[in-house]
Amino acid sequence: MTEKAFRQLNIDPEFKNLIRPLRREEYRQLELNLVVEGCREDIIAWNDTIIDGHNRYEICNKMRIPYGVKELDFPSRDAAIAWICANQLGRRNISEETRKYLIGKQYEVEKKVQRNRNGYNQYRPNPNIAVGRGRPIDEESGRRTAARLGRKYHVSGATVQKYAKYSAALDTIEQNAPELVPHILSGAYKISFENIVALSEMEPEELRALSKKIGKNPYAFARYSESRRCLYSDASAKPGTAAAEQLAIKTMPAYDPDAEVAGLTLTIPSWMSSIDRTKSMAHLEAISPAARQNLLAALTELEGKIQEMLNAIEGES
């Protein structure tokens, strides 16, 4: 068993951005679980840098909950990124857009890992590059990597390579309008592959202006049909041509005032289920004083928040 303590770890923005951020209700549920049960899963790190467990690390340090750290060994940064992608792709709660992005990202970094395995890189090219089966060896290696990942994720090798273009386009968008990318990866903004590429080809100031207009109504891209109308002022414009210059906000659906409340309402049954499960399975008379105090503190805080919400609702009714 890993010894639990408090250990200073580094947070790499690129690593963290590869991991789906928790929704507010998910974060609150994780916080409650950690207070009640302690940190059961180790924080995974490479060279003292977190590669899995950013939220647990943040909460545990804030709440003074000891945690274990498991160090993994990778030959390079690209290999660590490939592991993060594969680890996230093993989760069930990622969106289809995030899945495409991670597969494309994993493909690109695994190509680099393969190319650099024998010490070759952009500064020391492989002197044995030749034509094999009519294509350069590097291209053949990329096709093999795509085919292998395609088998793993149940898509074709060509689809894996298409996903790589998708992830590269999103990385470009992130450089100029980083606030757009989480909405795209979460599935909140329904934008086709062609339109993602078109967005990535926009001038930075145009993309930022578009992002600002979208931000005034976060529900603007609720459906693909709405996204297309918002993106293209000319319905006949074809992505990939001069359409990138015609990108503009046109029509936006109405703001949904129930969205936040509906999200909260959907999470409450899981809280009730967790409480019922704990009551039936835990031996409350045998728990430690520390665990008892932590649970009481968390429930008291939750009770206070519930009362605040009830007061707010009653005040508006």
Side-chain angles (χ1 to χ4, degrees):
M1 178 181 293
T2 306
E3 182 180 353
K4 290 180 168 56
F6 296 99
R7 175 177 162 187
Q8 184 67 39
L9 296 171
N10 301 315
I11 296 177
D12 185 292
E14 184 179 10
F15 291 174
K16 186 176 182 180
N17 287 341
L18 290 171
I19 298 172
R20 182 185 74 84
L22 295 181
R23 300 181 182 90
R24 277 180 290 182
E25 59 269 19
E26 292 175 323
Y27 188 92
R28 288 195 293 264
Q29 184 64 56
L30 175 61
E31 191 173 49
L32 181 59
N33 291 344
L34 288 169
V35 169
V36 174
E37 303 172 2
C39 188
R40 294 184 174 184
E41 295 183 57
D42 290 341
I43 309 296
I44 310 299
W46 170 65
N47 287 350
D48 289 329
T49 300
I50 300 174
I51 58 175
D52 185 62
H54 294 82
N55 293 301
R56 278 177 280 129
Y57 178 75
E58 178 182 291
I59 294 170
C60 286
N61 278 289
K62 180 177 67 175
M63 307 295 289
R64 302 305 296 166
I65 301 170
Y67 49 86
V69 177
K70 180 179 180 181
E71 281 276 355
L72 297 184
D73 183 33
F74 298 106
S76 66
R77 179 183 181 85
D78 285 327
I81 291 174
W83 182 91
I84 295 171
C85 292
N87 186 54
Q88 289 298 302
L89 284 162
R91 303 184 187 279
R92 296 180 179 179
N93 59 348
I94 61 173
S95 69
E96 182 61 23
E97 290 77 10
T98 297
R99 179 174 176 273
K100 293 176 183 178
Y101 177 82
L102 290 172
I103 291 174
K105 195 77 171 179
Q106 185 177 354
Y107 166 70
E108 286 296 341
V109 295
E110 287 201 9
K111 277 200 310 180
K112 292 182 186 178
V113 170
Q114 181 66 33
R115 187 175 67 238
N116 296 340
R117 188 160 290 167
N118 295 319
Y120 302 122
N121 51 43
Q122 68 268 36
Y123 306 110
R124 182 171 176 258
N126 187 342
N128 299 315
I129 289 293
V131 174
R133 298 181 186 176
R135 295 183 178 86
I137 291 175
D138 273 7
E139 184 178 337
E140 282 296 319
S141 176
R143 287 166 64 87
R144 288 194 296 271
T145 300
R148 175 173 54 80
L149 291 177
R151 289 191 297 271
K152 181 175 181 180
Y153 298 122
H154 308 293
V155 295
S156 69
T159 297
V160 170
Q161 292 176 315
K162 180 178 179 180
Y163 289 169
K165 295 178 182 177
Y166 178 81
S167 66
L170 283 176
D171 285 345
T172 300
I173 293 170
E174 197 274 337
Q175 293 175 10
N176 299 312
E179 66 282 352
L180 275 178
V181 176
H183 296 297
I184 296 171
L185 290 179
S186 69
Y189 294 175
K190 302 294 184 184
I191 307 177
S192 71
F193 169 79
E194 291 79 7
N195 288 348
I196 290 292
V197 173
L199 284 171
S200 72
E201 294 172 349
M202 291 181 70
E203 292 297 325
E205 59 273 16
E206 293 177 342
L207 181 58
R208 285 191 287 269
L210 175 64
S211 175
K212 186 176 181 180
K213 291 180 180 179
I214 294 171
K216 293 179 180 178
N217 186 348
Y219 302 98
F221 282 21
R223 297 184 300 277
Y224 171 68
S225 59
E226 293 293 344
S227 301
R228 188 169 180 82
R229 282 199 294 272
C230 288
L231 285 170
Y232 290 95
S233 57
D234 181 356
S236 64
K238 294 182 179 179
T241 59
E245 299 177 0
Q246 302 174 17
L247 289 171
I249 294 298
K250 187 177 180 182
T251 58
M252 293 186 179
Y255 168 72
D256 181 4
D258 292 345
E260 286 294 330
V261 170
L264 177 60
T265 302
L266 288 173
T267 65
I268 292 175
S270 69
W271 303 351
M272 297 166 63
S273 177
S274 295
I275 291 173
D276 288 340
R277 185 175 64 252
T278 301
K279 284 171 58 182
S280 63
M281 298 183 64
H283 299 289
L284 297 179
E285 69 281 358
I287 64 175
S288 67
R292 183 184 301 275
Q293 187 60 40
N294 287 335
L295 178 57
L296 284 172
L299 289 174
T300 300
E301 184 175 1
L302 177 60
E303 184 180 32
K305 290 296 180 183
I306 291 173
Q307 190 58 55
E308 286 179 15
M309 181 59 72
L310 288 172
N311 292 339
I313 293 172
E314 292 170 357
E316 294 296 329
S317 60

